Amino acid sequence: MSWVCFTVILPFLILGFLTRAGDSESGYKVESKLKKAGSNPEVITPNHTITIAVLTDISSTLYSTTGYENLAAARLAIEDINANKSFLPGYHFDMLFKDDGCDMEVGLKALTNAYDNDENKKINAVIGISCSVVCELAGYLCASDQWNIPVVSHSCSSDDLSKTDKYPTFARLSLSVFKYTNAIIAICKKFEWTKVGLMVNNIDWYVKTAGKMKELMTDQEKNGVYGIQVFLEKFYYDDEDEDGSIDENSDTYKLLVEQLNRMKQKVRVIIIVGYARDIIFVLKTAKKTRDEQRTFRFPHTGVHPSRSQKG
């Protein structure tokens, strides 16, 4: 699946961000905000190497497994495109890999190192980012007049990334988490659920998105006079649990048990908003507390369907 995504992404990067320069002999020109200001955009001529920076996470517990898959998929896609002589004949794709660690600080270092790399390669686009915190950073930097390069993600789901005025050179193949809200409301209507719980990872953009979801779900006017009572709880995840185990003596586990017990008194349906590891954490904790009567139903946003932990 990743190979298909990258094979699709790369051609669209070129066809979407590089336009035919009329009947001139200058080849393809890079679309630029500077062009609107009257400046001459960069010209990419035939026999030019187009370098793609592949940023993906291979070091954290979030996407380390899929990070290696993304990297392999990007390499295969570039090999296939270079082997296809009918696609942009005379042009060659190259790639530069950096580990973004699914972390803002690590991602900033990876991005700047890719842009100002030791091999003196000119970066023409960025792909491969899985984490929204790095996507937002890359989308902001790459939209600057100095960089002005496209960023395409296959899985970043932050609602803020939908702001095209803030991230004009960013595109993605995935949905914003907020886009799932109408589907969740439809499910609630179908099963006549009038009270639901929202368990959200206490990460800034997740909390903001969950707040918007709650607002829409409780708005009777927008929901056709079907108001849903929503109880929101913010939980934490212990990043030190790299092997995916659950420490029943940890504060994060004890807090989550308390939150689930509070939810049990109010609702039977809990919607989990978070990373794949967060969904697993909540489900495992619920199982450990022996929810033998199956008090809860756990729909989730499906933020990332892939495995999130090593091993």
Side-chain angles (χ1 to χ4, degrees):
M1 185 62 183
S2 296
W3 170 81
V4 174
C5 286
F6 285 120
T7 306
V8 171
I9 285 174
L10 292 175
F12 273 104
L13 273 174
I14 301 305
L15 299 179
F17 289 91
L18 308 181
T19 58
R20 179 74 66 179
D23 296 325
S24 69
E25 298 180 356
S26 58
Y28 288 79
K29 291 184 178 180
V30 178
E31 288 288 358
S32 172
K33 293 178 297 179
L34 298 180
K35 183 178 180 180
K36 297 178 181 179
S39 301
N40 292 326
E42 176 189 2
V43 175
I44 293 184
T45 57
N47 301 317
H48 185 94
T49 295
I50 299 168
T51 302
I52 308 296
V54 179
L55 269 66
T56 192
D57 171 26
I58 62 170
S59 57
S60 81
T61 60
L62 283 174
Y63 293 109
S64 56
T65 302
T66 53
Y68 283 107
E69 295 172 359
N70 293 341
L71 179 57
R75 286 173 173 162
L76 285 173
I78 287 176
E79 288 177 5
D80 283 356
I81 291 172
N82 284 335
N84 185 355
K85 302 303 180 182
S86 64
F87 179 72
L88 289 181
Y91 293 82
H92 178 78
F93 280 85
D94 192 10
M95 68 168 278
L96 186 68
F97 163 71
K98 297 294 180 182
D99 175 19
D100 64 38
C102 194
D103 176 84
M104 182 176 291
E105 184 177 348
V106 178
L108 176 60
K109 182 178 180 180
L111 193 62
T112 53
N113 285 345
Y115 186 79
D116 186 20
N117 58 84
D118 295 335
E119 301 174 59
N120 294 321
K121 293 180 178 180
K122 169 67 176 177
I123 300 300
N124 301 110
V126 177
I127 67 171
I129 304 174
S130 297
C131 295
S132 292
V133 65
V134 182
C135 268
E136 290 180 358
L137 173 66
Y140 184 77
L141 283 178
C142 291
S144 66
D145 290 340
Q146 180 181 354
W147 289 34
N148 189 37
I149 55 178
V151 181
V152 179
S153 170
H154 59 291
S155 69
C156 286
S157 53
S158 165
D159 189 53
D160 197 53
L161 289 167
S162 298
K163 299 176 181 178
T164 54
D165 56 336
K166 187 176 181 180
Y167 306 104
T169 65
F170 177 82
R172 58 182 169 187
L173 301 182
S174 57
L175 290 175
S176 159
V177 173
F178 182 66
K179 297 294 184 182
Y180 293 99
T181 309
N182 287 329
I184 292 172
I185 292 172
I187 293 173
C188 289
K189 287 182 178 179
K190 173 68 175 178
F191 294 100
E192 299 181 350
W193 295 336
T194 57
K195 295 180 180 181
V196 300
L198 269 181
M199 299 287 298
V200 56
N201 183 321
N202 193 39
I203 294 176
D204 183 59
W205 73 267
Y206 269 137
V207 173
K208 288 180 180 177
T209 301
K212 289 179 62 178
M213 292 172 68
K214 179 179 179 180
E215 182 179 346
L216 180 57
M217 292 170 70
T218 55
D219 192 324
Q220 293 188 11
E221 183 177 349
K222 291 182 179 179
N223 294 332
V225 198
Y226 187 87
I228 303 170
Q229 192 172 2
V230 179
F231 301 90
L232 191 148
E233 291 271 6
K234 295 180 285 186
F235 68 89
Y236 298 83
Y237 182 88
D238 191 348
D239 290 323
E240 294 181 0
D241 294 335
E242 295 187 2
D243 59 354
S245 63
I246 294 179
D247 181 4
E248 296 183 29
N249 295 315
S250 69
D251 291 337
T252 52
Y253 175 80
K254 292 177 181 178
L255 175 61
L256 182 55
V257 170
E258 291 178 7
Q259 292 172 319
L260 288 172
N261 285 332
R262 282 199 297 268
M263 283 286 190
K264 190 180 295 187
Q265 306 304 316
K266 302 173 183 177
V267 301
R268 291 193 62 208
V269 178
I270 294 178
I271 300 162
I272 308 170
V273 182
Y275 291 115
R277 66 165 192 188
D278 304 323
I279 296 168
I280 294 171
F281 177 47
V282 174
L283 293 178
K284 282 187 174 181
T285 302
K287 184 177 181 180
K288 271 183 171 291
T289 56
R290 300 312 301 167
D291 184 22
E292 294 178 354
Q293 296 180 347
R294 298 191 176 185
T295 304
F296 295 127
R297 302 294 181 269
F298 288 97
H300 59 80
T301 56
V303 172
H304 198 285
S306 304
R307 299 183 302 276
S308 64
Q309 294 156 343
K310 296 177 182 178

